[in-house]
């Protein structure tokens, strides 16, 4: 929807692709759908869910056996984002490096976008 021909909407690191593909196999899902919703102390939060069907309006990124679908209302917020999977001593999980984010809360769970984007 908001893509540039020949360029994927989001990029997926090798670690993230491996984790998504592993979880898809385990759950028998069609992929990981990523979205945005209002909430959190900074104003917006990412949503993630494994789904059994691809919505025809989703932007789909396939890489190394992993499929990420971007919900229609989130596409303009996520364009250019890199999705990574990090493992540390205390936690592991998906990390989003999103060039559209202008601020985030201290815990990293919620984000804020430029007001020009959110006014659209």
């Amino acid at each position: 929807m908001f893509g540039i021909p020949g360029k994927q909407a989001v990029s997926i690191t090798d670690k993230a692709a491996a984790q998504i593909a592993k979880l898809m196999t385990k759950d028998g899902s069609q992929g990981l759908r990523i979205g945005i919703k209002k909430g959190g102390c900074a104003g917006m939060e990412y949503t993630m869910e494994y789904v059994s069907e691809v919505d025809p309006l989703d932007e789909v990124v396939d890489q190394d056996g992993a499929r990420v679908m971007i919900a229609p209302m989130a596409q303009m917020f996520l364009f250019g984002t890199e999705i990574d999977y990090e493992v540390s001593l205390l936690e592991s999980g998906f990390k989003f490096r999103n060039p559209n984010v202008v601020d985030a809360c201290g815990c990293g769970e919620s984000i804020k976008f430029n007001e020009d984007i959110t006014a659209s």
Side-chain angles (χ1 to χ4, degrees), residues 20-108:
I20 292 166
K22 177 181 162 185
L23 292 170
M24 283 174 60
T25 302
K26 181 180 175 184
D27 289 345
S29 69
Q30 291 295 309
L32 175 67
R33 180 174 293 128
I34 300 172
I36 298 285
K37 70 176 185 174
K38 290 187 179 203
C41 34
M44 304 285 270
E45 297 175 322
Y46 294 111
T47 62
M48 296 175 22
E49 64 179 332
Y50 282 93
V51 294
S52 58
E53 286 186 25
V54 177
D55 184 312
L57 298 177
D58 285 343
E59 180 73 27
V60 179
V61 177
D62 285 304
Q63 180 181 319
D64 301 325
R67 177 178 291 142
V68 172
M69 297 161 285
I70 305 169
M73 295 304 290
Q75 292 172 11
M76 69 179 162
F77 296 106
L78 294 175
F79 190 78
T81 297
E82 178 187 68
I83 302 169
D84 195 9
Y85 186 79
E86 296 179 355
V87 177
S88 71
L89 188 59
L90 298 174
E91 65 181 0
S92 62
F94 292 102
K95 302 293 181 188
F96 295 85
R97 292 183 189 93
N98 188 335
N100 305 306
V101 170
V102 296
D103 198 11
C105 68
C107 66

Side-chain angles (χ1 to χ4, degrees), residues 5-17:
K7 181 169 172 55
Q8 290 185 346
V10 298
S11 61
I12 307 167
T13 66
D14 292 341
K15 287 181 184 179

